[in-house]
């Protein structure tokens, strides 16, 4: 299974808008570090790919430092978008090149309550598991954020907007 971290966000609403959002610190660690530690611990995940945009050079240096101090047998790589494609633009492009491989995707600027491992476990053990699942959270800036459209009949996500 391949995991993707969408890490191209600018962080315009963060404490340090010049810093890529994935490098925002939470409890003394970058969000990226916390996500990588969790993804590395999931046995089913064999490859982790960062999809980068804004601040890619800074994120790559940070990633190299992280990998130098954390032993992992998993492949950790990255892809840099040539032009700004939006939150999932690069993801669409990369997924179109895969052959029916199951993927786990997380946004680089969030860490779900309970963590990525718990979210993965919920997905893996769900009786209503579908090929794709999405974990979302409310925010106080819906005008400039991605959102989901849910079916009024069954509550399933119909579209990501």
């Amino acid at each position: 299974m391949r995991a993707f971290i969408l890490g191209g966000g600018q962080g315009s609403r963060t404490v340090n808008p010049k810093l890529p959002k994935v490098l925002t610190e939470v409890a003394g660690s970058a969000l990226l570090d916390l996500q990588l530690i969790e993804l590395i611990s999931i046995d089913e995940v064999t490859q982790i790919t960062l999809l980068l945009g804004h601040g890619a050079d800074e994120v790559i240096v940070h990633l190299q430092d992280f990998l130098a101090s954390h032993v992992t047998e998993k492949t950790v790589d990255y892809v840099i978008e040539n032009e700004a494609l939006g939150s999932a633009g690069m993801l669409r492009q990369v997924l179109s090149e895969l052959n029916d491989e199951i993927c786990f995707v997380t946004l680089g600027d969030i860490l779900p309550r309970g963590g990525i491992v718990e979210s993965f476990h919920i997905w893996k053990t769900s009786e209503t598991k579908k090929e794709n699942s999405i974990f979302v959270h409310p925010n106080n800036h819906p005008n400039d954020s991605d959102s989901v459209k849910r079916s009024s009949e069954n509550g399933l996500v119909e579209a990501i907007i």
Side-chain angles (χ1 to χ4, degrees):
M1 174 179 289
R2 192 161 172 188
F4 292 95
I5 299 174
L6 304 184
Q10 291 184 344
S12 57
R13 288 181 299 273
T14 63
V15 174
N16 183 356
K18 294 180 182 177
L19 190 69
K21 285 195 284 187
V22 295
L23 299 182
T24 300
E25 285 198 13
V26 175
S29 296
L31 276 170
L32 178 60
D33 297 354
L34 300 172
Q35 292 179 332
L36 286 170
I37 288 167
E38 291 209 27
L39 287 170
I40 286 169
S41 75
I42 299 172
D43 290 337
E44 292 87 345
V45 173
T46 57
Q47 181 174 353
I48 303 166
T49 300
L50 281 67
L51 303 181
L52 303 175
H54 172 76
D57 292 340
E58 193 172 356
V59 175
I60 292 166
V61 168
H62 184 91
L63 174 64
Q64 291 168 340
D65 290 344
F66 174 89
L67 293 173
S69 63
H70 291 79
V71 177
T72 181
E73 294 178 4
K74 299 178 190 267
T75 300
V76 181
D77 61 3
Y78 57 86
V79 178
I80 303 171
E81 62 185 6
N82 295 326
E83 60 181 286
L85 300 172
S87 294
M90 175 70 75
L91 181 63
R92 280 188 215 98
Q93 193 172 357
V94 174
L95 291 179
S96 71
E97 299 168 7
L98 301 179
N99 296 324
D100 297 327
E101 185 176 356
I102 296 175
C103 300
F104 187 84
V105 179
T106 185
L107 299 176
D109 62 345
I110 65 168
L111 192 60
R113 181 177 298 147
I116 291 172
V117 173
E118 181 65 21
S119 297
F120 179 82
H121 179 72
I122 291 168
W123 171 79
K124 183 178 173 184
T125 59
S126 174
E127 291 180 18
T128 59
K129 180 174 76 173
K130 303 293 181 195
E131 285 184 19
N132 301 301
S133 296
I134 183 169
F135 295 86
V136 297
H137 63 90
N139 67 50
N140 61 1
H141 52 90
N143 295 336
D144 64 350
S145 293
D146 299 326
S147 58
V148 295
K149 179 181 178 187
R150 294 176 57 167
S151 166
S152 58
E153 293 177 19
N154 58 20
L156 296 176
V157 173
E158 292 181 336
I160 299 173
I161 304 164

